[in-house]
Amino acid sequence: MKKALATRTFFLFLAFLFSFPQHNYALTSDNRQQRRSSTLLRLPLVQRYSKRSETNNSHNSVNNENLKSTIVLVDSHSYYSIDIQIGNPPQNIPVLLDTGSADLWVPGIDCPSTVCKSKKFNRNNSRSFASFNETFEIHYAVGYASGYLAQDIVTAGQATVSAQEFGYVIDIVNITGTIGTLGLGFPNLAESYRGYLPFMYGLFAQHTIQKHVFSIYLHDGQGTTGEIIFGGIDNSKHNGDLHFMDLTKTKAGQLSHANGVDQYGFWQVAGLSIGVKRTDTIYTSTVASSNSKKKAESSSASRSTEQTMLEYTFGETEESDFKFDTGTTYTYLNPILTQNIVMTSFAASDAKFNEQNRQYEVTCTRPYYSNIIIQFGMSPGLDKIDGRPIILSTPLSDFIRPKNGNSTDDATRCIFGIAPTLEQDGETSIIIGLSALRSLYLVFDTDQAQIGIASVIGSQAFVTRDSQQIGIVSKAKS
């Protein structure tokens, strides 16, 4: 055990020396820069269908020229995953892509098949596997995974971290049908131990990428595939400009190793408002007489109308951080607000709350779904009281998910993609899950502590800057 701990300490020391963001700008060697930016790696698309249960600014320096590792994602109706390779020789293991956690963990061969039902990593077949004999345990809203800390070679595409630590899981409780997880949150969010370096930080330490940045493309609301890019942005995938927002710090009580100090952990921004609008197109026609032929001629015109049906602005003392979480299928709001959105958006006969699943079952298709727009208002910064909010507007139809089919067209039962959250420690978290993120191109910038969003090409959603201030609550950085 002492030998394993010494080995881990040695690798941590090396990673520590190379992991600080300021080194990102100091590396000026031509050879090193060439190694970091000369290749854009992509993997073929793969489709899977298993499900995971759940309850609940200038950016010119980050551009297409700096792309290094592009990895294809797969949507299985409830989560997106990528394939990674672990060990020597490498073993292909699918992992869920999760911006709501920071740990990498995979089910091990020691986990009973009755519990770990997905592909498992066989430590006995890897010549480079090392165990630290230290307990690993990660908790979710319901259930947890446990085992011990280990280290091995981890590869995604052609990008490799030679000594990546991860949780080797031998037991899973109340998490059915799950695969392993690649956490993409800040290191402070990791449950492993203080000082743990997530996979992206390992890529930076080994000069694979030159920015602590990754971007995610989830296609449109009906898409089943996507991609993640470590180290940069692909501007060909989104409409218009990317809109960047400063992150808010995660409360110390939500972090495993915060020592009582709020720090960056979750990918979260200051939420300002949530609203519902209805848009309609009105067609008008006119009849005019022709002076030359004395015949009546008609013409038509159209105009759009917009009606605000619900507008909720968060109060100054109200929990309003929006957590961007690719590991969560639905978007979770407090129960009363969720109910108001449903009552405002749907006809009474088209929505019914399922008490057991805590979800709204809805009619799969209705013509008016495309006319109802759900809006999320967010602050571009923490102290910009005079700033203009960033508004994400998404059609109601994008939030309708099939329950027993591959699409809303062939399904007979559907679920509304916004659900009431569970109260934890007296507070209700606001989680922006895949139901809202599918239509977005997302940029997660660790160096600048920002999230950038834009609608993906082909999506009916759109991102704008509001022309008026809507009561931004100032939250000072500490």
Side-chain angles (χ1 to χ4, degrees):
M1 177 175 177
K2 290 183 179 179
K3 182 178 179 181
L5 287 174
T7 301
R8 179 164 72 90
T9 303
F10 174 72
F11 282 115
L12 279 176
F13 177 72
L14 291 179
F16 178 80
L17 291 177
F18 291 102
S19 63
F20 289 102
Q22 56 263 36
H23 287 209
N24 193 12
Y25 305 98
L27 295 170
T28 57
S29 166
D30 292 339
N31 292 335
R32 182 171 297 180
Q33 290 291 352
Q34 184 176 4
R35 289 202 307 270
R36 284 186 166 178
S37 60
S38 61
T39 308
L40 173 62
L41 305 178
R42 298 179 183 270
L43 294 180
L45 298 178
V46 181
Q47 191 170 24
R48 301 184 181 96
Y49 293 95
S50 59
K51 296 184 178 181
R52 170 176 179 166
S53 64
E54 63 177 55
T55 50
N56 241 326
N57 317 28
S58 173
H59 289 263
N60 294 332
S61 59
V62 183
N63 55 45
N64 295 351
E65 295 179 356
N66 296 326
L67 300 181
K68 175 58 182 176
S69 301
T70 301
I71 298 160
V72 173
L73 310 182
V74 182
D75 177 23
S76 300
H77 297 301
S78 61
Y79 66 87
Y80 282 79
S81 65
I82 65 172
D83 285 341
I84 61 174
Q85 291 74 45
I86 305 178
N88 179 24
Q91 301 174 42
N92 193 71
I93 305 292
V95 288
L96 179 148
L97 192 79
D98 187 14
T99 57
S101 66
D103 299 89
L104 169 62
W105 65 266
V106 296
I109 195 66
D110 309 274
C111 185
S113 297
T114 54
V115 177
C116 296
K117 299 180 180 180
S118 60
K119 190 171 183 179
K120 295 183 283 188
F121 173 66
N122 191 335
R123 59 184 174 84
N124 300 317
N125 292 342
S126 174
R127 295 189 294 269
S128 50
F129 178 83
S131 169
F132 297 132
N133 295 319
E134 293 186 47
T135 299
F136 171 83
E137 189 168 286
I138 185 167
H139 291 259
Y140 297 96
V142 172
Y144 64 91
S146 63
Y148 53 85
L149 280 171
Q151 178 182 279
D152 211 330
I153 301 169
V154 175
T155 299
Q158 297 180 36
T160 298
V161 177
S162 59
Q164 176 64 50
E165 295 181 330
F166 60 94
Y168 182 89
V169 167
I170 60 176
D171 190 24
I172 295 176
V173 178
N174 291 333
I175 307 176
T176 58
T178 188
I179 60 176
T181 296
L182 176 61
L184 294 171
F186 282 76
N188 293 318
L189 195 60
E191 296 201 30
S192 298
Y193 60 90
R194 187 172 182 84
Y196 170 81
L197 289 179
F199 180 71
M200 182 181 71
Y201 289 76
L203 293 177
F204 178 83
Q206 296 187 180
H207 315 312
T208 304
I209 59 176
Q210 64 175 2
K211 297 287 185 182
H212 289 94
V213 174
F214 63 95
S215 56
I216 296 177
Y217 170 54
L218 302 178
H219 284 223
D220 59 24
Q222 299 300 321
T224 57
T225 59
E227 69 178 14
I228 178 172
I229 299 173
F230 287 107
I233 303 169
D234 186 348
N235 288 314
S236 69
K237 295 290 196 299
H238 62 82
N239 295 308
D241 296 330
L242 284 160
H243 297 271
F244 285 86
M245 300 165 286
D246 290 340
L247 298 179
T248 59
K249 291 186 176 180
T250 302
K251 294 180 180 178
Q254 297 177 308
L255 301 173
S256 300
H257 314 284
N259 293 333
V261 180
D262 293 352
Q263 302 177 44
Y264 293 121
F266 289 108
W267 289 99
Q268 61 184 33
V269 301
L272 302 176
S273 65
I274 294 178
V276 178
K277 291 189 176 182
R278 182 183 179 96
T279 60
D280 291 289
T281 301
I282 299 176
Y283 295 93
T284 59
S285 60
T286 59
V287 178
S289 177
S290 172
N291 293 329
S292 59
K293 296 184 179 180
K294 301 296 183 180
K295 291 183 179 180
E297 296 180 350
S298 62
S299 63
S300 62
S302 64
R303 62 184 178 89
S304 297
T305 63
E306 186 177 273
Q307 176 188 359
T308 299
M309 304 173 68
L310 173 69
E311 187 169 1
Y312 182 84
T313 301
F314 292 99
E316 185 172 355
T317 60
E318 192 172 2
E319 177 63 39
S320 62
D321 289 328
F322 289 1
K323 295 180 174 66
F324 283 59
D325 188 356
T326 60
T328 300
T329 305
Y330 300 102
T331 294
Y332 288 94
L333 308 176
N334 75 64
I336 295 178
L337 180 55
T338 302
Q339 183 182 40
N340 288 338
I341 292 174
V342 171
M343 294 177 62
T344 302
S345 304
F346 292 93
S349 59
D350 287 334
K352 181 180 179 180
F353 186 62
N354 185 315
E355 292 284 352
Q356 181 178 359
N357 297 328
R358 293 186 58 80
Q359 297 172 333
Y360 284 92
E361 297 182 353
V362 298
T363 303
C364 291
T365 58
R366 284 285 188 261
Y368 69 84
Y369 285 176
S370 60
N371 298 106
I372 304 298
I373 307 297
I374 298 178
Q375 296 186 320
F376 297 85
M378 295 159 281
S379 173
L382 301 177
D383 305 309
K384 300 175 182 178
I385 301 178
D386 58 346
R388 292 182 297 145
I390 294 172
I391 307 296
L392 166 61
S393 301
T394 307
L396 179 65
S397 54
D398 281 9
F399 286 95
I400 312 301
R401 310 310 305 169
K403 188 172 183 179
N404 62 348
N406 292 325
S407 69
T408 55
D409 293 329
D410 58 29
T412 58
R413 301 174 62 192
C414 289
I415 300 295
F416 183 42
I418 298 178
T421 189
L422 295 176
E423 185 175 289
Q424 295 180 338
D425 301 325
E427 295 183 353
T428 55
S429 295
I430 300 172
I431 300 176
I432 309 299
L434 288 177
S435 61
L437 301 180
R438 293 176 192 270
S439 300
L440 295 178
Y441 189 88
L442 302 156
V443 178
F444 299 85
D445 190 335
T446 303
D447 294 332
Q448 301 296 326
Q450 291 184 325
I451 293 177
I453 63 173
S455 63
V456 297
I457 293 176
S459 170
Q460 298 301 310
F462 53 95
V463 181
T464 57
R465 293 292 295 272
D466 199 343
S467 59
Q468 297 181 351
Q469 177 183 337
I470 56 172
I472 298 179
V473 179
S474 177
K475 296 184 179 182
K477 287 183 178 179
S478 57

